[in-house]
Amino acid sequence: DVLLFKTSVSFVDHLQEFLSAVLTSTTLVIPPIDWRANPTSLANLIKTYRISRMTIVPSLMEMILPTMEKNISCGYNSLKILVFSGEILSLVLWKRVREILPETTVVNLYGTTEVSGDCTFFDCKDLPAILECEEITSVPIGFPIANCEVVLVTHAGMADEGEICVSGACLFNGYLAEFLMSNHTEGSESSTYYKTGDYARRLKAGELVFLGRKDRTVKNYGQRFSLEEVESTLKEHPAVSDAAVTFQSKGSPDYKAYLVFKNKDGIVKDSLQYREVNSSQDIMASIRSWLIKKVPPAMIPSFFLST
């Protein structure tokens, strides 16, 4: 195998890329540090270095897939195993990948940092059979990995649809000196489990399908954050009276910010940043530039709208 080390060390999936190569003496290709400025360049790296195994978030795969398709049409496909992780894998993207990479094994993983990155897996070769008898809106997250127990819990107890709770060897101890509390779930072999806040449904054959969350925590480019935090930061801007953000992830993320501006008298006119502002579009452009300095890139909305 030849692995590609493209994931930031602040994201748990880098362990699959880095440590797996180190522990198995496998060739590890490290792309130039500025590749994020041009994500499609990864497709050319895959072709040039004949990458055979790669872990990637679906949103990044959507960016590089058109270039990969062109490269593959001109030659050999080196990619043996493609692992999706960190975001919902849509049926639309899976179908495109299947058409372009028919000989590549595609695996969908689910997990959180609190469970060492992953706790369930699904081999997408089983998906056509599932689609014949089940109605689903995304690729299943599958079954628990080895040494990991996953149960679905409601207020009434265990069920076939509910909150994902995880126990087993993959579970973290806690945050800093605060250890995970022990809890008892009927029918569970372990008395300690982590309530992920994520919800899922169990299919007839036992696979889990991710349903989402009941709070306003979302994942964008594999990074988890709260929409309330983005709204609170936007409201700190001197030109903003109120703000709301929405996020939907059906295929490509639909992430928007709705802003209510103060009247002209309420904008800080003596600041150089706003001296040349003449329209709401100018204000929104300046707000986006201001927000980039305040939060990580994944938390920047794709669209800014005024009301």
Side-chain angles (χ1 to χ4, degrees), residues 23-45:
L23 294 173
T24 59
S25 299
T26 301
T27 300
L28 186 65
V29 175
I30 303 175
I33 195 170
D34 59 350
W35 73 265
R36 297 179 191 279
N38 181 23
T40 57
S41 64
L42 283 183
N44 295 325
L45 282 170

Short mmCIF file of all heavy atoms in Angstrom, two decimals, residues 23-45:
data_model
loop_
_atom_site.label_atom_id
_atom_site.label_comp_id
_atom_site.label_asym_id
_atom_site.label_seq_id
_atom_site.Cartn_x
_atom_site.Cartn_y
_atom_site.Cartn_z
N LEU A 23 3.48 1.84 11.63
CA LEU A 23 3.44 0.52 12.27
C LEU A 23 3.58 -0.63 11.28
O LEU A 23 3.92 -1.74 11.67
CB LEU A 23 2.14 0.37 13.06
CG LEU A 23 1.99 1.31 14.26
CD1 LEU A 23 0.60 1.19 14.86
CD2 LEU A 23 3.04 1.02 15.32
N THR A 24 3.30 -0.39 10.00
CA THR A 24 3.38 -1.46 9.00
C THR A 24 4.49 -1.22 7.97
O THR A 24 4.57 -1.94 6.98
CB THR A 24 2.04 -1.60 8.25
OG1 THR A 24 1.72 -0.34 7.63
CG2 THR A 24 0.92 -1.99 9.21
N SER A 25 5.34 -0.21 8.21
CA SER A 25 6.44 0.12 7.29
C SER A 25 5.93 0.35 5.87
O SER A 25 6.53 -0.10 4.89
CB SER A 25 7.50 -0.99 7.31
OG SER A 25 8.05 -1.13 8.59
N THR A 26 4.82 1.06 5.78
CA THR A 26 4.20 1.36 4.49
C THR A 26 4.63 2.75 4.02
O THR A 26 4.80 3.66 4.83
CB THR A 26 2.66 1.30 4.60
OG1 THR A 26 2.29 0.00 5.04
CG2 THR A 26 1.99 1.60 3.28
N THR A 27 4.79 2.91 2.71
CA THR A 27 5.16 4.21 2.15
C THR A 27 4.09 5.24 2.47
O THR A 27 2.89 5.01 2.27
CB THR A 27 5.34 4.11 0.63
OG1 THR A 27 6.38 3.16 0.35
CG2 THR A 27 5.71 5.47 0.05
N LEU A 28 4.51 6.40 2.96
CA LEU A 28 3.60 7.48 3.32
C LEU A 28 3.96 8.72 2.50
O LEU A 28 5.08 9.23 2.59
CB LEU A 28 3.70 7.79 4.82
CG LEU A 28 2.70 8.81 5.38
CD1 LEU A 28 1.28 8.27 5.28
CD2 LEU A 28 3.04 9.13 6.84
N VAL A 29 3.02 9.21 1.72
CA VAL A 29 3.24 10.39 0.88
C VAL A 29 2.67 11.60 1.60
O VAL A 29 1.49 11.65 1.95
CB VAL A 29 2.57 10.23 -0.50
CG1 VAL A 29 2.71 11.51 -1.32
CG2 VAL A 29 3.15 9.04 -1.24
N ILE A 30 3.53 12.62 1.82
CA ILE A 30 3.12 13.85 2.50
C ILE A 30 3.03 14.96 1.46
O ILE A 30 4.04 15.34 0.87
CB ILE A 30 4.11 14.23 3.61
CG1 ILE A 30 4.26 13.08 4.61
CG2 ILE A 30 3.65 15.50 4.33
CD1 ILE A 30 5.30 13.31 5.68
N PRO A 31 1.83 15.50 1.21
CA PRO A 31 1.68 16.54 0.18
C PRO A 31 2.28 17.87 0.63
O PRO A 31 2.53 18.07 1.83
CB PRO A 31 0.17 16.65 0.01
CG PRO A 31 -0.38 16.23 1.34
CD PRO A 31 0.56 15.18 1.87
N PRO A 32 2.52 18.81 -0.29
CA PRO A 32 3.00 20.14 0.08
C PRO A 32 2.06 20.80 1.08
O PRO A 32 0.84 20.57 1.04
CB PRO A 32 3.02 20.90 -1.25
CG PRO A 32 3.09 19.83 -2.29
CD PRO A 32 2.35 18.66 -1.74
N ILE A 33 2.61 21.60 1.96
CA ILE A 33 1.82 22.17 3.05
C ILE A 33 0.71 23.10 2.55
O ILE A 33 -0.29 23.32 3.24
CB ILE A 33 2.75 22.93 4.03
CG1 ILE A 33 2.01 23.21 5.34
CG2 ILE A 33 3.27 24.20 3.39
CD1 ILE A 33 2.92 23.73 6.44
N ASP A 34 0.84 23.63 1.33
CA ASP A 34 -0.14 24.56 0.82
C ASP A 34 -1.21 23.90 -0.04
O ASP A 34 -1.94 24.57 -0.77
CB ASP A 34 0.55 25.66 0.01
CG ASP A 34 1.34 25.12 -1.16
OD1 ASP A 34 1.51 23.87 -1.23
OD2 ASP A 34 1.80 25.91 -2.01
N TRP A 35 -1.36 22.57 0.04
CA TRP A 35 -2.32 21.89 -0.82
C TRP A 35 -3.76 22.33 -0.53
O TRP A 35 -4.62 22.28 -1.41
CB TRP A 35 -2.21 20.37 -0.67
CG TRP A 35 -2.76 19.81 0.63
CD1 TRP A 35 -2.06 19.53 1.76
CD2 TRP A 35 -4.12 19.46 0.90
NE1 TRP A 35 -2.89 19.04 2.73
CE2 TRP A 35 -4.17 18.98 2.23
CE3 TRP A 35 -5.32 19.50 0.17
CZ2 TRP A 35 -5.35 18.55 2.84
CZ3 TRP A 35 -6.49 19.07 0.77
CH2 TRP A 35 -6.50 18.60 2.08
N ARG A 36 -4.04 22.79 0.70
CA ARG A 36 -5.41 23.18 1.06
C ARG A 36 -5.89 24.39 0.25
O ARG A 36 -7.10 24.60 0.12
CB ARG A 36 -5.50 23.48 2.56
CG ARG A 36 -5.20 22.26 3.41
CD ARG A 36 -5.25 22.55 4.90
NE ARG A 36 -4.71 21.45 5.66
CZ ARG A 36 -5.40 20.33 5.94
NH1 ARG A 36 -6.65 20.22 5.55
NH2 ARG A 36 -4.84 19.35 6.62
N ALA A 37 -4.95 25.18 -0.26
CA ALA A 37 -5.34 26.31 -1.10
C ALA A 37 -5.89 25.84 -2.45
O ALA A 37 -6.62 26.56 -3.12
CB ALA A 37 -4.14 27.24 -1.32
N ASN A 38 -5.54 24.62 -2.82
CA ASN A 38 -6.03 24.02 -4.06
C ASN A 38 -6.32 22.55 -3.82
O ASN A 38 -5.53 21.68 -4.19
CB ASN A 38 -5.00 24.19 -5.18
CG ASN A 38 -5.48 23.60 -6.50
OD1 ASN A 38 -6.68 23.44 -6.72
ND2 ASN A 38 -4.55 23.25 -7.37
N PRO A 39 -7.46 22.23 -3.18
CA PRO A 39 -7.76 20.84 -2.80
C PRO A 39 -7.76 19.86 -3.97
O PRO A 39 -7.44 18.68 -3.79
CB PRO A 39 -9.16 20.95 -2.18
CG PRO A 39 -9.26 22.36 -1.71
CD PRO A 39 -8.50 23.16 -2.72
N THR A 40 -8.11 20.34 -5.17
CA THR A 40 -8.15 19.42 -6.31
C THR A 40 -6.78 18.87 -6.66
O THR A 40 -6.67 17.87 -7.37
CB THR A 40 -8.75 20.12 -7.55
OG1 THR A 40 -7.97 21.29 -7.85
CG2 THR A 40 -10.20 20.54 -7.30
N SER A 41 -5.71 19.51 -6.15
CA SER A 41 -4.36 19.00 -6.41
C SER A 41 -4.16 17.62 -5.81
O SER A 41 -3.26 16.88 -6.23
CB SER A 41 -3.31 19.97 -5.87
OG SER A 41 -3.39 20.08 -4.45
N LEU A 42 -4.99 17.25 -4.82
CA LEU A 42 -4.88 15.91 -4.22
C LEU A 42 -5.14 14.83 -5.26
O LEU A 42 -4.54 13.75 -5.21
CB LEU A 42 -5.87 15.75 -3.06
CG LEU A 42 -5.51 16.40 -1.73
CD1 LEU A 42 -6.57 16.08 -0.70
CD2 LEU A 42 -4.15 15.93 -1.25
N ALA A 43 -6.05 15.10 -6.18
CA ALA A 43 -6.36 14.12 -7.22
C ALA A 43 -5.12 13.81 -8.06
O ALA A 43 -4.88 12.66 -8.43
CB ALA A 43 -7.50 14.63 -8.10
N ASN A 44 -4.33 14.84 -8.35
CA ASN A 44 -3.10 14.63 -9.12
C ASN A 44 -2.05 13.89 -8.29
O ASN A 44 -1.27 13.09 -8.84
CB ASN A 44 -2.55 15.97 -9.60
CG ASN A 44 -3.49 16.65 -10.58
OD1 ASN A 44 -4.16 15.99 -11.38
ND2 ASN A 44 -3.57 17.97 -10.53
N LEU A 45 -2.01 14.14 -6.98
CA LEU A 45 -1.08 13.40 -6.12
C LEU A 45 -1.44 11.92 -6.08
O LEU A 45 -0.56 11.05 -6.08
CB LEU A 45 -1.11 13.97 -4.70
CG LEU A 45 -0.35 15.27 -4.45
CD1 LEU A 45 -0.68 15.83 -3.08
CD2 LEU A 45 1.15 15.05 -4.58
#
